[in-house]
């Protein structure tokens, strides 16, 4: 069993920044892919970014490229999402997720095996 705990959400004005954290416990994540997803009211859960634990390869959805950065600290079993130049349309609950399939990196919700509880990000105009 893997446990994921997100933190760092909050309220910010448009153009501001937030840094989300996800602490993983219960297993070694050396071959996992870690992802960030978000879900706004009335919308489906949306892929944001992913990173391979081993090697650190990253992938982003087009709407956040150049603004968001995903990273990880292997010593702390922690994944981060640095969000800059935030827009009102970034408002959502942000979820951390883990895909245990070796070497796979995917934007599909169904490919992720473990999920955190979510953290709210609200961006005002």
């Amino acid at each position: 069993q893997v446990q994921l705990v997100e933190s760092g959400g909050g309220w910010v004005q448009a153009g501001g920044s937030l840094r989300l954290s996800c602490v993983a416990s219960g297993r070694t994540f050396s071959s996992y892919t870690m992802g960030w997803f978000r879900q706004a009211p009335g919308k489906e859960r949306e892929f944001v970014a992913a990173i391979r634990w081993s090697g650190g390869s990253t992938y982003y959805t087009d709407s956040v490229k150049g603004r968001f950065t995903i990273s990880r600290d292997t010593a702390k079993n922690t994944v981060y999402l640095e969000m800059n130049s935030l827009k009102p349309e970034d408002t959502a609950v942000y979820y951390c997720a883990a895909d245990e399939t070796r070497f796979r990196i995917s934007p599909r919700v169904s490919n992720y095996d473990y999920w955190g509880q979510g953290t709210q990000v609200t961006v005002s105009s």
Side-chain angles (χ1 to χ4, degrees), residues 46-88:
E46 174 191 25
F47 173 79
V48 177
I51 186 168
R52 290 179 174 141
W53 201 261
S54 180
S57 297
T58 60
Y59 180 71
Y60 299 89
T61 193
D62 287 344
S63 63
V64 307
K65 287 180 180 177
R67 299 190 298 123
F68 291 10
T69 302
I70 188 170
S71 62
R72 91 287 196 213
D73 185 332
T74 57
K76 296 181 178 180
N77 281 345
T78 301
V79 179
Y80 304 98
L81 185 68
E82 182 73 34
M83 304 184 293
N84 299 312
S85 301
L86 282 162
K87 305 174 181 180

Side-chain angles (χ1 to χ4, degrees), residues 6-124:
E6 303 101 330
S7 63
W11 179 92
V12 66
Q13 290 184 297
S17 300
L18 285 172
R19 186 192 192 216
L20 306 183
S21 299
C22 173
V23 179
S25 61
R27 293 191 186 185
T28 301
F29 277 48
S30 60
S31 63
Y32 282 37
T33 296
M34 304 297 298
W36 286 98
F37 292 77
R38 65 188 181 187
Q39 189 164 21
K43 299 183 68 177
E44 295 183 349
R45 192 164 298 184
E46 174 191 25
F47 173 79
V48 177
I51 186 168
R52 290 179 174 141
W53 201 261
S54 180
S57 297
T58 60
Y59 180 71
Y60 299 89
T61 193
D62 287 344
S63 63
V64 307
K65 287 180 180 177
R67 299 190 298 123
F68 291 10
T69 302
I70 188 170
S71 62
R72 91 287 196 213
D73 185 332
T74 57
K76 296 181 178 180
N77 281 345
T78 301
V79 179
Y80 304 98
L81 185 68
E82 182 73 34
M83 304 184 293
N84 299 312
S85 301
L86 282 162
K87 305 174 181 180
E89 48 264 46
D90 295 318
T91 295
V93 177
Y94 282 70
Y95 296 91
C96 179
D99 176 4
E100 66 183 356
T101 299
R102 185 181 289 270
F103 303 129
R104 181 169 69 188
I105 187 163
S106 173
R108 297 171 62 90
V109 169
S110 61
N111 283 339
Y112 288 79
D113 303 288
Y114 306 100
W115 294 85
Q117 81 288 348
T119 185
Q120 177 71 46
V121 172
T122 302
V123 184
S124 64

